[in-house]
Amino acid sequence: MKSTKTGVNMLFSTTRYTFLCNKPLTAFLLMCLVLWLAGCWRGRMMSTPSGLQYKRIMKGTGVKAKTGQEILLFETTRYRNGTILYSNEGTTTPVKVLIGGNQATLAVDEALVGMKVGEVKEIIAPPYLVKRKDYPPNVHPDSTLVIKLILHKILWQPL
């Protein structure tokens, strides 16, 4: 008996696959599609219903932080033009924050929920999410702020 190739077999034949992958643009687009489908596309800006924008720069490990937990945090806060307003990043002194305890701005509280130890997240916080009763002299109350958060440690779990 003589074997014949069907259209389906020809489409997925080794020769056809090699031909597609030898094209740089096709290979790049296939890689992008695979990453997008796998949900691994890093650096993509996401938005929450409150208007907070964020992107995860580095994944963390362990359990996710929850409202009511005390955590240790490194952060850098700046204007959109790059002017740094505050930073403890690169020091040995993280800030202790009770998530949801009115110790941080609404933007930071919202961004911390769900982060894991070692995770790095950059947020773009609109003015209504960074409002404070008293402003430091170097922070304008109508500013959109860019804040880099690094979750250093989760200190305790709520009951």
Side-chain angles (χ1 to χ4, degrees):
M1 288 191 108
K2 186 177 182 184
S3 89
T4 60
K5 291 188 174 184
T6 64
V8 173
N9 287 339
M10 290 180 72
L11 180 65
F12 293 108
S13 71
T14 307
T15 307
R16 179 76 175 188
Y17 179 73
T18 304
F19 173 74
L20 284 175
C21 290
N22 284 336
K23 303 255 184 199
L25 180 59
T26 304
F28 173 76
L29 292 173
L30 285 172
M31 181 181 69
C32 290
L33 178 63
V34 167
L35 289 172
W36 181 74
L37 289 173
C40 295
W41 193 267
R42 287 192 185 183
R44 184 177 66 191
M45 194 61 76
M46 307 292 287
S47 294
T48 68
S50 71
L52 179 72
Q53 294 181 314
Y54 70 93
K55 64 180 172 181
R56 184 174 59 199
I57 297 170
M58 186 184 320
K59 288 184 178 184
T61 59
V63 298
K64 294 180 179 182
K66 301 175 196 158
T67 300
Q69 290 179 315
E70 279 190 330
I71 55 102
L72 294 178
L73 170 72
F74 290 103
E75 69 175 300
T76 298
T77 301
R78 62 183 171 86
Y79 286 127
R80 292 185 92 161
N81 69 5
T83 303
I84 294 177
L85 302 170
Y86 168 80
S87 181
N88 69 340
E89 189 179 348
T91 71
T92 58
T93 315
V95 175
K96 186 192 297 186
V97 175
L98 174 65
I99 301 175
N102 294 321
Q103 296 178 353
T105 63
L106 293 174
V108 170
D109 269 346
E110 181 179 346
L112 287 172
V113 173
M115 285 182 71
K116 297 179 179 183
V117 172
E119 186 169 331
V120 180
K121 191 181 274 189
E122 184 175 84
I123 64 173
I124 299 175
Y128 57 89
L129 291 178
V130 291
K131 292 282 186 201
R132 295 178 180 258
K133 191 184 257 188
D134 297 313
Y135 281 86
N138 64 336
V139 180
H140 191 276
D142 294 326
S143 299
T144 295
L145 300 178
V146 179
I147 305 168
K148 181 180 177 184
L149 304 169
I150 305 167
L151 182 56
H152 179 65
K153 188 174 186 178
I154 297 174
L155 297 176
W156 61 271
Q157 301 274 15
L159 297 176

